Amino acid sequence: MTSILKADNIQDADGNNIINESSNTITIGASGDTTNIIGTLQNDGVAVANTPAFSVFLGSTQTLTTNTWTKLNLDNEIYDTNNAFASYKFTVPSGEGGKYLFVYSLGTSSLTSSTHGAIRLYKNGSAVDGSFTRSYPNQTTGAYPDKSMVLSLAAADYIELYGQHNKGSDATVSTSDTFLSGHKLIGV
């Protein structure tokens, strides 16, 4: 036996609408209400969440040759919701195109005295964004460029992180300050 309940409004005991249907739009709650979702919120059968999401960092030191853009070997995952980060790059999974927020940083503690460190975000093999930081004269703490950016991506697009410096000799990239994190944005 199948039951059908037909109503335009469902109200609480005080007569306030808690579910309202009008012109094929369903409104749950009212301004100022708190709506708790138990389970998974979905849109057309797909979970609504800021995923895919990942956060990776450089797990062991890496040496960069002076004045050379070098792909950073981000090899330690903190999380990777869709297993989309591999071979030092994030690849947008099938069906997950959209806008993504990326946050990234390069730790170059071995740069001193008026040298610079630079970082670039690459999309499909081409630089799309970057940051540059110069160390101060007589400084011994290095240069730490960092940045964030929103990119529109399609399935199979990939993101990589590159670093560069002008020390005049090889420089070591510090592990704890070199990272890339990203996630898909919802609602944009």
Side-chain angles (χ1 to χ4, degrees):
M1 177 173 155
T2 303
S3 298
I4 298 174
L5 176 64
K6 293 183 179 184
D8 289 333
N9 297 303
I10 298 176
Q11 298 180 339
D12 63 16
D14 295 327
N16 300 309
N17 285 349
I18 55 175
I19 299 178
N20 180 40
E21 189 278 330
S22 177
S23 301
N24 294 326
T25 299
I26 298 172
T27 303
I28 300 173
S31 179
D33 286 354
T34 298
T35 303
N36 291 322
I37 305 295
I38 307 300
T40 303
L41 181 62
Q42 295 187 349
N43 180 7
D44 289 331
V46 177
V48 177
N50 285 38
T51 57
F54 70 95
S55 184
V56 295
F57 65 95
L58 186 66
S60 57
T61 58
Q62 181 176 353
T63 301
L64 301 183
T65 303
T66 192
N67 293 315
T68 303
W69 286 101
T70 304
K71 184 176 176 178
L72 297 171
N73 298 333
L74 303 169
D75 56 356
N76 276 13
E77 292 183 359
I78 298 170
Y79 57 87
D80 183 5
T81 62
N82 293 60
N83 296 316
F85 195 92
S87 302
Y88 313 128
K89 67 182 177 183
F90 168 73
T91 304
V92 177
S94 177
E96 294 293 350
K99 294 194 185 310
Y100 283 77
L101 171 65
F102 295 98
V103 178
Y104 52 100
S105 177
L106 173 67
T108 52
S109 58
S110 62
L111 299 182
T112 58
S113 193
S114 299
T115 56
H116 76 254
I119 193 166
R120 283 186 180 165
L121 194 67
Y122 276 59
K123 173 184 173 184
N124 300 330
S126 298
V128 293
D129 192 42
S131 181
F132 168 92
T133 302
R134 179 173 296 286
S135 61
Y136 296 104
N138 303 317
Q139 178 180 342
T140 59
T141 58
Y144 298 88
D146 59 0
K147 190 84 185 283
S148 62
M149 179 177 200
V150 174
L151 286 173
S152 292
L153 301 176
D157 283 345
Y158 63 93
I159 299 296
E160 301 167 299
L161 195 59
Y162 281 69
Q164 187 258 10
H165 67 87
N166 72 338
K167 181 179 176 182
S169 61
D170 291 352
T172 301
V173 177
S174 57
T175 58
S176 61
D177 299 310
T178 303
F179 65 86
L180 171 63
S181 296
H183 65 270
K184 185 176 180 179
L185 298 173
I186 57 174
V188 290

